[in-house]
Amino acid sequence: MKITAISPFILHMPVTGSQIADSTHTLSHWGVVGAKIDTDAGVSGYGFTGTHAHLPSDQLITRCIETCHAPLLLGEDPRDVQRLWLKLARDPALQWVGRAGITTLSHAALDVALWDIKAKAAGMPLWQLLGGAVRERLRAYNTDIGWLSLSDDQLLAGAVSAVEDGFTGIKIKVGSSVERDLRRLAAVRRAIGPDVTLAIDGNGKWDLPTCLRFCRAAAEHDVFWFEEPLWYDDVKGHAFLARSQAIPLALGEQLYTAEAFAEFFQQGALHWAQPDVTRMAGLTEVWRVCEMAQGWRLPVAPHAGDMSQVHVHLAYAHPACAVLEYIPWIRDGFTEPAEVVDGHFRRPGQPGAGTTPTPQAWERYRRPTN
Ligand code: 0YR
Ligand code: MG
């Protein structure tokens, strides 16, 4: 089998409501930015990274796909995913300009598209190709009810209705002010009762003293994890925070490499690893992080840059993945949407990686790639 064409694409799909905000970003659309890879066998694969739908920066990614990475893949056998991963990651010219950033996001999309082809060619859903399912059911947690842009009333109504819908876990955003966030955390815990897991996500906004003050008061609400309390790369700060208070720490959605995760593991600076196939160089690199987490006997909760279209396959196949994030923004744009029934992700049945867009989404959300 040979790769015959690589076509970049940009889709901008609307979020729930008109816009949402966390501590650092406000957005109205999720960017699904990636590539379709065609082969001489009639099989096509799709892969994408996730962005905040900022067209000029999305076009940097599609340009990297088109002019830098695609020429390295044309004519190759797409099923050689590990060899092709190395070919892209270790290309001397690209390594010089970026071991993280645009080049990695481009690589992420292409690596997933290759896995999609390999699984489709094998006639299997990706989880099966990865070794088969290690669990009967995969627990979902809902993030889409917890945005900082929601009023207190909206937040509480959303949390209660998610629990009524069957979710046994939710996550709310923090990082506005300690007082407001503590008030909302306490109110949500009261509304959902003691049995639902409740995580919080700071998106890297606060400094260490603010986190210490917040955690002292937050601990009584049984916080499942505190995600990205500090700046993404601050290993020392997270290591200190992990040791000085009781709430478990989660992070990784902004880390690009397995080496970056290795540092956090070695320093005891995280409890939950949150790699993302759309941020790291694809599933190939994220699998390494899952293996590393397993070695440290720590759980993985993949981050929803792909809105769980691909991670649902990973999480059914890898024993370290304990729970998966649910945000329904883009699911209807795919031929097999990530679907939660009774608080658990349905196991995908279609061959591939879950990345094939519907013709309707293709028609409706497409934006120019240059
Ligand atoms: C909005 N999930 C996250 C969204 C979300 C972000 O910036 O991208 O909140 O990806 O942190 O855990
Ligand atoms: Mg997060």
Side-chain angles (χ1 to χ4, degrees), residues 328-352:
W329 298 339
I330 68 172
R331 56 184 298 281
D332 292 334
F334 293 90
T335 58
E336 188 170 32
E339 192 186 359
V340 170
V341 179
D342 195 19
H344 293 78
F345 277 94
R346 201 178 52 74
R347 195 165 64 189
Q350 287 181 16

Short mmCIF file of all heavy atoms in Angstrom, two decimals, residues 328-352:
data_model
loop_
_atom_site.label_atom_id
_atom_site.label_comp_id
_atom_site.label_asym_id
_atom_site.label_seq_id
_atom_site.Cartn_x
_atom_site.Cartn_y
_atom_site.Cartn_z
N PRO A 328 -19.16 17.57 24.14
CA PRO A 328 -19.85 17.10 22.92
C PRO A 328 -19.79 18.02 21.70
O PRO A 328 -20.57 17.85 20.77
CB PRO A 328 -21.31 16.97 23.42
CG PRO A 328 -21.44 18.03 24.45
CD PRO A 328 -20.10 18.17 25.10
N TRP A 329 -18.83 18.96 21.65
CA TRP A 329 -18.87 20.00 20.62
C TRP A 329 -18.80 19.48 19.19
O TRP A 329 -19.47 19.99 18.31
CB TRP A 329 -17.70 20.98 20.81
CG TRP A 329 -17.72 21.73 22.10
CD1 TRP A 329 -18.82 21.96 22.92
CD2 TRP A 329 -16.61 22.37 22.74
NE1 TRP A 329 -18.44 22.69 24.01
CE2 TRP A 329 -17.10 22.96 23.94
CE3 TRP A 329 -15.26 22.50 22.43
CZ2 TRP A 329 -16.28 23.68 24.81
CZ3 TRP A 329 -14.45 23.21 23.29
CH2 TRP A 329 -14.94 23.80 24.47
N ILE A 330 -17.92 18.51 18.93
CA ILE A 330 -17.66 18.15 17.52
C ILE A 330 -18.18 16.76 17.16
O ILE A 330 -18.08 16.34 16.01
CB ILE A 330 -16.15 18.24 17.19
CG1 ILE A 330 -15.34 17.17 17.94
CG2 ILE A 330 -15.61 19.63 17.53
CD1 ILE A 330 -13.88 17.09 17.48
N ARG A 331 -18.71 16.05 18.14
CA ARG A 331 -19.04 14.64 17.93
C ARG A 331 -19.97 14.40 16.73
O ARG A 331 -19.79 13.46 15.97
CB ARG A 331 -19.65 14.03 19.20
CG ARG A 331 -20.88 14.77 19.70
CD ARG A 331 -21.39 14.17 21.02
NE ARG A 331 -21.79 12.80 20.88
CZ ARG A 331 -22.95 12.40 20.37
NH1 ARG A 331 -23.84 13.28 19.95
NH2 ARG A 331 -23.23 11.13 20.28
N ASP A 332 -20.95 15.30 16.54
CA ASP A 332 -21.91 15.09 15.44
C ASP A 332 -21.29 15.28 14.07
O ASP A 332 -21.92 14.98 13.06
CB ASP A 332 -23.11 16.03 15.62
CG ASP A 332 -23.95 15.63 16.83
OD1 ASP A 332 -23.90 14.43 17.21
OD2 ASP A 332 -24.62 16.50 17.40
N GLY A 333 -20.05 15.77 14.03
CA GLY A 333 -19.37 15.95 12.76
C GLY A 333 -18.65 14.70 12.27
O GLY A 333 -17.96 14.75 11.25
N PHE A 334 -18.78 13.58 13.00
CA PHE A 334 -18.04 12.37 12.63
C PHE A 334 -18.98 11.20 12.37
O PHE A 334 -20.06 11.12 12.96
CB PHE A 334 -17.02 12.02 13.72
CG PHE A 334 -15.93 13.05 13.82
CD1 PHE A 334 -16.06 14.14 14.66
CD2 PHE A 334 -14.81 12.97 13.00
CE1 PHE A 334 -15.09 15.13 14.70
CE2 PHE A 334 -13.83 13.95 13.03
CZ PHE A 334 -13.97 15.03 13.88
N THR A 335 -18.54 10.30 11.49
CA THR A 335 -19.40 9.17 11.11
C THR A 335 -19.69 8.27 12.31
O THR A 335 -20.72 7.62 12.36
CB THR A 335 -18.76 8.33 9.99
OG1 THR A 335 -17.50 7.85 10.45
CG2 THR A 335 -18.57 9.15 8.72
N GLU A 336 -18.77 8.22 13.29
CA GLU A 336 -19.05 7.50 14.52
C GLU A 336 -18.78 8.41 15.72
O GLU A 336 -17.66 8.46 16.24
CB GLU A 336 -18.22 6.22 14.64
CG GLU A 336 -18.69 5.38 15.83
CD GLU A 336 -18.09 3.99 15.87
OE1 GLU A 336 -16.94 3.81 15.41
OE2 GLU A 336 -18.77 3.07 16.38
N PRO A 337 -19.80 9.14 16.17
CA PRO A 337 -19.60 10.11 17.25
C PRO A 337 -19.26 9.44 18.57
O PRO A 337 -19.81 8.38 18.88
CB PRO A 337 -20.97 10.80 17.37
CG PRO A 337 -21.74 10.41 16.16
CD PRO A 337 -21.19 9.10 15.68
N ALA A 338 -18.33 10.05 19.35
CA ALA A 338 -18.09 9.59 20.72
C ALA A 338 -19.40 9.75 21.49
O ALA A 338 -19.97 10.82 21.53
CB ALA A 338 -16.99 10.43 21.36
N GLU A 339 -19.84 8.67 22.09
CA GLU A 339 -21.18 8.70 22.68
C GLU A 339 -21.16 8.17 24.10
O GLU A 339 -20.54 7.14 24.38
CB GLU A 339 -22.12 7.83 21.83
CG GLU A 339 -23.58 8.02 22.16
CD GLU A 339 -24.47 7.04 21.40
OE1 GLU A 339 -23.96 6.24 20.60
OE2 GLU A 339 -25.68 7.08 21.65
N VAL A 340 -21.82 8.90 25.00
CA VAL A 340 -21.90 8.46 26.39
C VAL A 340 -23.31 7.98 26.69
O VAL A 340 -24.29 8.69 26.45
CB VAL A 340 -21.51 9.60 27.35
CG1 VAL A 340 -21.81 9.22 28.79
CG2 VAL A 340 -20.03 9.94 27.19
N VAL A 341 -23.40 6.76 27.20
CA VAL A 341 -24.68 6.20 27.61
C VAL A 341 -24.54 5.78 29.07
O VAL A 341 -23.61 5.05 29.42
CB VAL A 341 -25.05 4.96 26.75
CG1 VAL A 341 -26.38 4.36 27.21
CG2 VAL A 341 -25.11 5.32 25.28
N ASP A 342 -25.43 6.29 29.91
CA ASP A 342 -25.42 5.92 31.32
C ASP A 342 -24.05 6.18 31.96
O ASP A 342 -23.53 5.37 32.72
CB ASP A 342 -25.79 4.42 31.44
CG ASP A 342 -26.17 4.06 32.86
OD1 ASP A 342 -26.48 4.96 33.65
OD2 ASP A 342 -26.10 2.86 33.19
N GLY A 343 -23.46 7.33 31.60
CA GLY A 343 -22.20 7.73 32.23
C GLY A 343 -20.96 7.03 31.73
O GLY A 343 -19.87 7.23 32.27
N HIS A 344 -21.10 6.22 30.67
CA HIS A 344 -19.94 5.49 30.14
C HIS A 344 -19.86 5.65 28.62
O HIS A 344 -20.90 5.69 27.95
CB HIS A 344 -20.03 4.00 30.50
CG HIS A 344 -19.90 3.76 31.97
ND1 HIS A 344 -20.94 3.96 32.85
CD2 HIS A 344 -18.83 3.35 32.71
CE1 HIS A 344 -20.52 3.68 34.08
NE2 HIS A 344 -19.26 3.31 34.03
N PHE A 345 -18.63 5.70 28.11
CA PHE A 345 -18.45 5.80 26.66
C PHE A 345 -18.79 4.47 25.99
O PHE A 345 -18.30 3.41 26.41
CB PHE A 345 -16.99 6.15 26.33
CG PHE A 345 -16.70 7.63 26.41
CD1 PHE A 345 -16.20 8.17 27.59
CD2 PHE A 345 -16.92 8.46 25.33
CE1 PHE A 345 -15.92 9.54 27.67
CE2 PHE A 345 -16.65 9.82 25.41
CZ PHE A 345 -16.16 10.36 26.58
N ARG A 346 -19.63 4.57 24.97
CA ARG A 346 -19.90 3.39 24.16
C ARG A 346 -18.61 2.98 23.45
O ARG A 346 -17.84 3.82 23.00
CB ARG A 346 -20.98 3.74 23.14
CG ARG A 346 -21.74 2.56 22.57
CD ARG A 346 -22.82 3.05 21.60
NE ARG A 346 -22.27 3.95 20.59
CZ ARG A 346 -21.53 3.56 19.56
NH1 ARG A 346 -21.24 2.28 19.38
NH2 ARG A 346 -21.06 4.44 18.70
N ARG A 347 -18.37 1.67 23.36
CA ARG A 347 -17.18 1.19 22.67
C ARG A 347 -17.39 1.27 21.16
O ARG A 347 -18.38 0.73 20.66
CB ARG A 347 -16.88 -0.25 23.10
CG ARG A 347 -15.50 -0.70 22.72
CD ARG A 347 -15.11 -1.95 23.46
NE ARG A 347 -15.97 -3.07 23.12
CZ ARG A 347 -15.96 -4.24 23.74
NH1 ARG A 347 -15.16 -4.44 24.77
NH2 ARG A 347 -16.75 -5.21 23.37
N PRO A 348 -16.48 1.95 20.42
CA PRO A 348 -16.69 2.12 18.98
C PRO A 348 -16.72 0.78 18.24
O PRO A 348 -16.06 -0.18 18.65
CB PRO A 348 -15.48 2.94 18.53
CG PRO A 348 -14.96 3.59 19.77
CD PRO A 348 -15.28 2.64 20.90
N GLY A 349 -17.47 0.76 17.14
CA GLY A 349 -17.58 -0.47 16.37
C GLY A 349 -17.08 -0.36 14.94
O GLY A 349 -16.77 -1.36 14.30
N GLN A 350 -16.97 0.88 14.44
CA GLN A 350 -16.53 1.05 13.05
C GLN A 350 -15.02 0.89 12.93
O GLN A 350 -14.27 1.31 13.81
CB GLN A 350 -16.92 2.45 12.54
CG GLN A 350 -18.39 2.64 12.26
CD GLN A 350 -18.68 4.05 11.73
OE1 GLN A 350 -17.79 4.78 11.30
NE2 GLN A 350 -19.95 4.44 11.79
N PRO A 351 -14.56 0.33 11.78
CA PRO A 351 -13.11 0.28 11.54
C PRO A 351 -12.52 1.69 11.50
O PRO A 351 -13.17 2.62 11.04
CB PRO A 351 -13.00 -0.38 10.14
CG PRO A 351 -14.28 -1.12 9.96
CD PRO A 351 -15.32 -0.33 10.70
N GLY A 352 -11.30 1.83 12.02
CA GLY A 352 -10.61 3.12 11.98
C GLY A 352 -10.46 3.75 13.35
O GLY A 352 -10.69 3.10 14.38
#
